[in-house]
Amino acid sequence: MPDLLTRAHLNRALLARQHLLQRRPGPAIEVVDHLVGLQAQNAWSPYVGLWSRVEGFRTDELGAAFWDRSVTRIAVMRSTIHLVTAADALLLPGLIAPLHAKDLRVNAQHGAALRTLDLVELTAAARALVEEEPRVTTALGRLLGQRWPDVAPSTLAYAARGTLPLVQVPPRGVWGRSGATTWTTAWAWLGPELTAAAPDLTDPQVLAAEQARLVRRYLAAFGPASVADLQSWSGLTGMRAVADRLDLVRYRADPSPGAVRERELLDLPGAPLPDPDVPAPARFLADYDNVLLGHADRTRIISAEHRPYLASPNGVVPATFLLDGRVAGTWDVPRDRRSGGTVTLTVRPFARPTATQREELQAEAEGLADLMAAEADERRVVVVDPG
């Protein structure tokens, strides 16, 4: 077992733990649990993420999980929308609560107004409204505005999202369905039996145990990783003290370009650490995939020269693909994928792939096109030659 880990070691370890070296058998919900959720800013995103990771994945499998409430969409890590299991919808918001609380105080758009309000009272009012019936964001803000007419309805709705575990109810998130973003609490949506079984994070010992479990789960899906990586993924601070209480393996990281010193990496004893020369197949990732966002130092998955290709003024992270385990380009497909007609999936490599890579990329892209445009009369894949 090496003491010093290169970026190649870290790349293959990450791909293995993300099920991107080899698709694993279902059910898909077990992968959702292992990954501590998948980014889901767009409704289609977790479907692509699971298709790339789960052998034989079908969109109706995840759609059914939304309806039977075994998965849901909720703001958790970094205060961004994720697809998570029911158990995590009742756990993660409590663990991430310090992030939301800080944001409500310092948010540039809403913070000043919220500092004048009794957030406990506002939270109780918002909870009563969304548990009476699921509400769209604008309706929730308007109803709260009847009690706080001097505060913008958008600010009131933002506060509710930051103080309550609000889930998005179907049909939002179900493949092939559409609907406005409609909220209720995880407690109301998932029911009293599951809610009663959730850990009581007001108990300091329970909270400490669940924080430790979160660290172990992160390392199982993203490790080996530094404390800075863990904090970047979660949005939390102060995780060094949590990690130091655990029995973890410690490695040295090959310094990144420009780094002043080596980083310490933490890992679970016995966790997979494949040989850096293990072949990595072409894989397509959805926008905002956590495999790209799960570390402070992302050089294990994307090179410094290619990172500017993913930068945008509004922070959008495009859909990407991997060649030899590293980000090698972007892809897109028309948002309007109604039945009939021809749908084209466009693949844009950063650099010209080899003949073997192009063949593999084409085959994988055709499978993705079948997923993304199953109702189209014809599906086409276009690989654009880089200029």
Side-chain angles (χ1 to χ4, degrees):
M1 188 72 67
D3 176 54
L4 177 70
L5 298 183
T6 65
R7 282 183 288 281
H9 282 111
L10 298 178
N11 175 267
R12 292 313 195 251
L14 177 62
L15 297 181
R17 299 180 198 195
Q18 289 281 317
H19 304 303
L20 291 169
L21 272 185
Q22 184 176 1
R23 287 182 171 93
R24 59 152 285 169
I29 192 171
E30 292 182 0
V31 175
V32 177
D33 177 69
H34 169 73
L35 298 177
V36 203
L38 289 92
Q39 289 273 173
Q41 274 92 327
N42 289 307
W44 57 267
S45 303
Y47 290 86
V48 174
L50 290 170
W51 174 81
S52 288
R53 292 169 166 94
V54 179
E55 184 180 326
F57 172 74
R58 305 184 323 277
T59 57
D60 59 358
E61 179 185 359
L62 184 55
F66 274 111
W67 288 117
D68 70 21
R69 310 191 187 195
S70 55
V71 301
T72 191
R73 297 170 79 216
I74 190 170
V76 282
M77 283 73 70
R78 303 181 305 280
S79 195
T80 55
I81 297 295
H82 280 65
L83 168 78
V84 301
T85 63
D88 275 343
L90 293 165
L91 170 68
L92 294 175
L95 292 176
I96 305 299
L99 172 64
H100 293 303
K102 179 181 177 181
D103 175 68
L104 293 179
R105 294 193 304 271
V106 304
N107 185 273
Q109 181 178 355
H110 304 291
L114 292 178
R115 287 193 293 272
T116 69
L117 298 179
D118 182 336
L119 287 182
V120 173
E121 182 183 357
L122 188 151
T123 300
R127 179 176 181 177
L129 287 169
V130 296
E131 291 189 347
E132 179 182 51
E133 63 179 80
R135 310 275 184 178
V136 299
T137 305
T138 52
L140 175 60
R142 184 178 66 252
L143 290 169
L144 290 171
Q146 295 174 8
R147 183 179 297 194
W148 291 278
D150 297 331
V151 180
S154 60
T155 294
L156 297 170
Y158 188 85
R161 182 177 179 269
T163 57
L164 289 168
L166 296 183
V167 301
Q168 298 183 8
V169 304
R172 185 74 173 176
V174 176
W175 189 266
R177 301 289 299 273
S178 61
T181 302
T182 308
W183 307 94
T184 189
T185 64
W187 307 309
W189 183 248
L190 299 173
E193 185 175 346
L194 273 178
T195 299
D200 178 10
L201 298 182
T202 63
D203 182 327
Q205 290 186 325
V206 174
L207 175 60
E210 291 300 330
Q211 288 173 331
R213 191 166 76 92
L214 183 66
V215 173
R216 289 191 290 267
R217 292 180 68 190
Y218 169 73
L219 293 174
F222 294 90
S226 68
V227 170
D229 292 327
L230 167 65
Q231 294 186 157
S232 180
W233 167 77
S234 65
L236 295 171
T237 58
M239 297 302 288
R240 165 63 68 182
V242 179
D244 283 347
R245 295 198 301 266
L246 303 179
D247 180 18
L248 299 173
V249 179
R250 284 168 165 77
Y251 298 106
R252 295 178 298 125
D254 193 15
S256 298
V260 177
R261 56 191 175 118
E262 293 177 343
R263 293 175 299 122
E264 179 188 61
L265 300 179
L266 310 176
D267 204 8
L268 300 174
L273 198 61
D275 189 285
D277 294 327
V278 170
R283 287 289 184 260
F284 282 82
L285 304 174
D287 54 346
Y288 302 98
D289 195 296
N290 267 336
V291 77
L292 304 181
L293 304 178
H295 303 85
D297 182 346
R298 299 168 186 172
T299 56
R300 71 185 66 197
I301 192 75
I302 182 168
S303 66
E305 65 180 302
H306 290 155
R307 193 163 179 174
Y309 288 105
L310 305 188
S312 66
N314 56 3
V316 172
V317 179
T320 60
F321 64 87
L322 307 177
L323 289 177
D324 192 26
R326 301 179 67 78
V327 176
T330 62
W331 65 272
D332 62 74
V333 69
R335 292 186 181 183
D336 185 357
R337 300 187 297 276
R338 291 174 293 187
S339 60
T342 300
V343 172
T344 300
L345 188 151
T346 304
V347 181
R348 297 181 174 85
F350 298 148
R352 191 179 303 276
T354 67
T356 300
Q357 287 176 331
R358 190 181 186 93
E359 183 178 339
E360 186 181 8
L361 189 62
Q362 180 78 26
E364 191 77 359
E366 288 173 1
L368 178 60
D370 288 343
L371 174 89
M372 297 294 289
E375 302 302 320
D377 292 332
E378 182 182 359
R379 293 171 289 282
R380 299 173 60 241
V381 171
V382 174
V383 180
V384 178
D385 285 330

